[in-house]
Amino acid sequence: MSTKRTGGRILVDNLIAQGCDRIFQVPGESFLAVLDALHDTPEIDVVTCRQEGGAAFMACADGTLTQRPGICFVTRGPGATNASIGVHVAMQDSQPMILFIGDVDRGMRDREGFQEVDFVALFTPLAKLALRIDDARRIPEYVARAFNVATSGRPGPVVIALPEDMLCDVVEAVDRDPVALYPVDYDPDDFAPMFELLRAAQSPVAIVGGAGWDDHVATAVETFARNWGVPVAGAFRRQDAIPNASPVWAGNLGYGPNPKLVARIKAADVLLVIGARLGEATTDGYTLVTPEHQGQTLIHVHPDPGELNRVYRADMAVAAEMLTFVDMLTIEPAPESPHPSGAIAHAEWLDWSTPKPREGVTLDLGLCVAAMRERLTPADTIICNGAGNFSGWWHRYWHYGNPGTQLAPTAGAMGYGVPAAVAGALRCPEKTVVAVAGDGDFLMNGQELATAIQHGADMLVIVVDNGGYGTIRMHQEREYPARLSGTALHNPDFALLGKAYGAWSETVETTAQFAPALDRALAQGGVKLLHLKTDMEIITNGTTITQLRGR
């Protein structure tokens, strides 16, 4: 298509050409030409958010669910800086995302005009790529490039600044066809040494999950691991890398993993790492698996060649798209009998992930998760959470399903769960979407309940309220026992707050109250909120404040 159009119209037309069907935005006068074009574009669902950080988180989550870039529009200055948290999460979580920022007029640049920021300078350290479009005729080129960069190799965020006057220019531009990715084919013989290592291994372990992961990858990895008997551990917050019902699923790494899984990984002679970066959280500060991993053979598979041998010395480094690599796994004939460690590791995980009543606990979150497991199916449920100790109960006791059933930031950003749930509910209306948030976590983006209700999202929000920033309180008690400072919170009545937004809500104060309240919530349509009042003393699923002080 090559007719005279405004820059805003050209941009919207090229988003459609690249397959965009939804954007998340907080409106600003700097991109009114785009909003005007969207007025006549029923192909794109415009989700109007309440704060740019929430909008960016929604785009992150949408990119994870679709494997296409989640699209976010914000205005300059405060809007862009608010949205920067989503760019950081998308980068560390390897999520395809594009953030468009309405910018000052080209003629105003470098005068410190109203809300002016040098966005290329600001976002270059945070994103895969940061650009500015000064010529409306080149919009198709830039949009196609952004989609390609956001989805190729290790997925991640692209940031594009849009001068306000450029969007109003009326020019001719040639639209671009959809970007297509062409995976590189490999010769199966190239992987013979890897399979020889695995056949000879006495205690192999796979650590999986990360960039470019989808149902096809999950199925291939699970089939390979099951046939070979290799225990599969999920990297931090990659617990949906394969269905946890798999007979070789060994559990998750990160904060508070199963001690038996920790021991198994330390004792492994061959580590097959597929997709994971082996970041600080997954490796417990680079100690669970050390960068030199003496006595262990590391096979590291990642789509970004720059990640390989960056921190970890790889005995075998494989730069490959996940789809290409996992197809190699399924071609190789499996041993006559699988290694026994896969089944043993799974049994250990089943025991670890089975909640047991904790004596003297009024509201036992472990038993609450058990009640959820009785009522919800992992494959049909998406659990969304931000950062905080509250998430540990779900990380330990919930059994996740296929890829896309866990939306949780590996970057550890607070306030992610509610926006992610909005994106999940809009993208997957056939699934039960649950946002789990701590009290401090919820109050960072709880305003997006208004977005959820405005756009007809069907989702459950569980607010775990212990009256403080629990994770920081835990660290505080470890370093400065009984010296409480700056971590207590005075909270609103979250059930009443939910009702004020228009949600169905209820307060839960005991374990016995939870299951009936959950049943009532699940019977409702739209947004429903359960306010769980818990005790700060029960600081994690494995310890208490008193025990921390006793150490």
Side-chain angles (χ1 to χ4, degrees), residues 134-156:
D134 285 319
D135 185 345
R137 289 167 294 192
R138 295 182 63 187
I139 289 174
E141 169 195 336
Y142 278 95
V143 171
R145 181 181 178 188
F147 271 76
N148 180 64
V149 171
T151 55
S152 61
R154 175 188 171 189

Side-chain angles (χ1 to χ4, degrees), residues 37 48 75 147 150 153 187 252 343 374 400 443 501 520 543 545:
T48 300
T75 196
F147 271 76
D187 186 338
N252 62 292
E374 292 172 358
Y400 291 86
L443 284 174
Y501 278 110
R520 289 189 289 272
T543 192
I545 294 289

Side-chain angles (χ1 to χ4, degrees), residues 171-242:
V171 299
E172 286 194 357
V174 179
D175 296 340
R176 289 281 183 101
D177 291 332
V179 170
L181 299 178
Y182 299 96
V184 177
D185 290 329
Y186 293 90
D187 186 338
D189 292 339
D190 293 341
F191 294 89
M194 180 189 75
F195 290 115
E196 289 175 8
L197 287 170
L198 291 170
R199 288 184 191 279
Q202 297 299 307
S203 51
V205 176
I207 300 174
V208 305
W213 210 272
D214 62 12
D215 285 341
H216 177 88
V217 174
T219 299
V221 169
E222 196 280 330
T223 300
F224 160 80
R226 177 165 32 86
N227 290 341
W228 285 66
V230 177
V232 176
F236 177 54
R237 290 183 168 170
R238 306 293 192 185
Q239 290 169 251
D240 59 350
I242 69 171

